[in-house]
Amino acid sequence: MNNPIQIALIDDHQMFREGLKALLNGFDDCQVVFELSNGAKLTEELATRQVDIICMDLDMPVMNGFQTLEKLSLSGIDAKVIFISQNNEPSMIARLMELGARGYLLKDSSAEMLHSAIQSVYQNGYFFNDLVSGSLLQKMAKSSAINPTYKNDELSSREIEVLKMICDELTSAEIADKMSLSIKTIENHRSNLMSKTGAKNLAGLVVYAVKNRLYNVR
Amino acid sequence: MLDSLRELTGGNAERMQLYANMFLEEISSYLPKMKEAFTDGRMNDLKNIVHTCKSLLQTMGFDVAYKQAQKLELMIIDKAYADELNDGYYLFIKQLNDCMQEVKDNLNELG
């Protein structure tokens, strides 16, 4: 790969950062550009050094993951944040995804899973694993707060087909290939889906699809 | 608490409300889980939930409860004496309830 995926690490445990950095730099397509012990200086760093992915802990002194995510959003920075935490509370994971996180991993995840999460977020914008999907579904099952905002018949059959494939974690290129359409057309369908459902991100789309029984979790 | 929320959200009332509701919902769901873990002596489970609460407390600017969460987490890790753990746990629960009440009291102002 010509340009490795540029990564920032944010975690208050230096030993964990060092280990993670060594691990990520060991992958041909990854490069850790900088590391911080909390989110307080992240926006300043991002002003001078661009990154593709931010791998961040949730619980940190000074500025935690929530606060950092919000600060990035307020600053208008569209950062792709993957949380790496020891926190396995489904409700917390679902919250973070709703607030704009792109993926969530536990600290004891395998190197392979971390690598595929980074690749998936870099290429597709999101990484859904069993932990994230399960958390979102649990939240939906418990909550009545997520109500459909439109009728299913407002979605075309093509859009529903695309939506189902998004839920199956297919990339735009893979969907285009399956449907014999161009990637640009698929991107248009994806954009229409977001607009029609009112979803802010792919997590919202998946939630919508399950909630409206357009997609069944196997 | 309101100052922290304002700082966090840049004063956006909708986001402030979102975080306040999130705090109430999350902490309410953790309280029975903590009680169950504490009663059953599942200290590792208790530690995990306390750890989870920390980020929420910090986000809402509840510094005293945040520090108590840190203290309780360390007590569990260090396998503190039962009496000390007992006191630490009940103090933390009281603080969580106080924090929730403060959020509820301020919800009208946020709305």
Side-chain angles (χ1 to χ4, degrees), chain B residues 10-11 13 15-16 29-30 37 57 62 74 79 82 94 104 106:
Chain B
R15 302 290 293 177
M16 286 171 76
S29 73
Y30 299 150
L57 291 166
F62 290 122
L74 284 175
K79 296 188 168 56
K94 183 189 175 304
K104 284 176 192 165
N106 281 290

Side-chain angles (χ1 to χ4, degrees), chain A residues 57-71 73-74 85-92 95 98-99 139 142 200, chain B residues 7-10 14-15 18-19 21-23 25-26 29-30 33 47-49 51-56 58-61 66 73:
Chain A
D57 190 13
L58 176 60
D59 183 49
M60 297 179 286
V62 187
M63 186 176 278
N64 66 33
F66 275 121
Q67 294 166 320
T68 309
L69 202 59
E70 194 69 24
K71 191 177 174 190
S73 166
L74 275 179
S85 169
Q86 67 181 71
N87 185 330
N88 63 357
E89 267 297 321
S91 59
M92 185 64 71
R95 291 286 191 192
E98 285 173 348
L99 289 170
K139 183 160 184 251
K142 282 182 193 165
K200 290 177 187 156
Chain B
E7 194 183 332
L8 175 72
T9 61
E14 200 181 325
R15 302 290 293 177
L18 184 138
Y19 276 96
N21 285 324
M22 181 175 96
F23 180 82
E25 282 172 32
E26 297 298 319
S29 73
Y30 299 150
K33 287 182 187 175
K47 177 175 72 68
N48 288 341
I49 304 169
H51 184 82
T52 300
C53 292
K54 270 166 55 183
S55 295
L56 287 169
Q58 185 189 30
T59 302
M60 299 293 286
Y66 173 77
E73 207 180 350

Side-chain angles (χ1 to χ4, degrees), chain A residues 192-208:
Chain A
N192 288 341
L193 280 166
M194 294 279 200
S195 162
K196 286 185 178 179
T197 60
K200 290 177 187 156
N201 51 40
L202 280 189
L205 270 187
V206 175
V207 166
Y208 181 86

Side-chain angles (χ1 to χ4, degrees), chain B residues 50 54 57 64-74 92:
Chain B
V50 173
K54 270 166 55 183
L57 291 166
V64 175
Y66 173 77
K67 281 179 188 151
Q68 182 60 24
Q70 278 183 320
K71 205 169 157 186
L72 181 56
E73 207 180 350
L74 284 175
F92 183 55

Side-chain angles (χ1 to χ4, degrees), chain A residues 45-203:
Chain A
E45 286 290 336
L46 291 175
T48 55
R49 293 190 276 189
Q50 284 200 325
V51 294
D52 301 305
I53 305 283
I54 297 166
C55 292
M56 182 157 66
D57 190 13
L58 176 60
D59 183 49
M60 297 179 286
V62 187
M63 186 176 278
N64 66 33
F66 275 121
Q67 294 166 320
T68 309
L69 202 59
E70 194 69 24
K71 191 177 174 190
L72 287 170
S73 166
L74 275 179
S75 310
I77 298 170
D78 183 26
K80 293 185 173 119
V81 177
I82 299 173
F83 278 98
I84 305 176
S85 169
Q86 67 181 71
N87 185 330
N88 63 357
E89 267 297 321
S91 59
M92 185 64 71
I93 296 167
R95 291 286 191 192
L96 285 163
M97 294 302 288
E98 285 173 348
L99 289 170
R102 304 303 186 94
Y104 194 104
L105 295 171
L106 293 179
K107 280 195 170 173
D108 60 2
S109 299
S110 66
E112 289 74 23
M113 183 175 274
L114 174 63
H115 191 206
S116 68
I118 288 171
Q119 288 176 320
S120 173
V121 171
Y122 179 68
Q123 287 162 12
N124 311 321
Y126 277 89
F127 175 72
F128 288 103
N129 52 4
D130 290 346
L131 185 68
V132 171
S133 309
S135 300
L136 288 167
L137 291 173
Q138 264 196 44
K139 183 160 184 251
M140 278 190 303
K142 282 182 193 165
S143 167
S144 58
I146 309 163
N147 294 315
T149 53
Y150 79 111
K151 298 186 191 84
N152 286 343
D153 58 8
E154 286 178 15
L155 289 185
S156 69
S157 56
R158 266 283 157 86
E159 285 165 347
I160 292 173
E161 207 178 336
V162 171
L163 180 57
K164 285 177 181 171
M165 287 196 236
I166 288 172
C167 294
D168 279 331
E169 298 181 59
L170 268 63
T171 64
S172 291
E174 287 167 338
I175 297 172
D177 188 46
K178 274 198 171 224
M179 295 178 78
S180 303
L181 296 168
S182 72
I183 295 175
K184 194 162 182 286
T185 306
I186 301 303
E187 295 291 351
N188 283 340
H189 282 314
R190 194 185 276 237
S191 166
N192 288 341
L193 280 166
M194 294 279 200
S195 162
K196 286 185 178 179
T197 60
K200 290 177 187 156
N201 51 40
L202 280 189

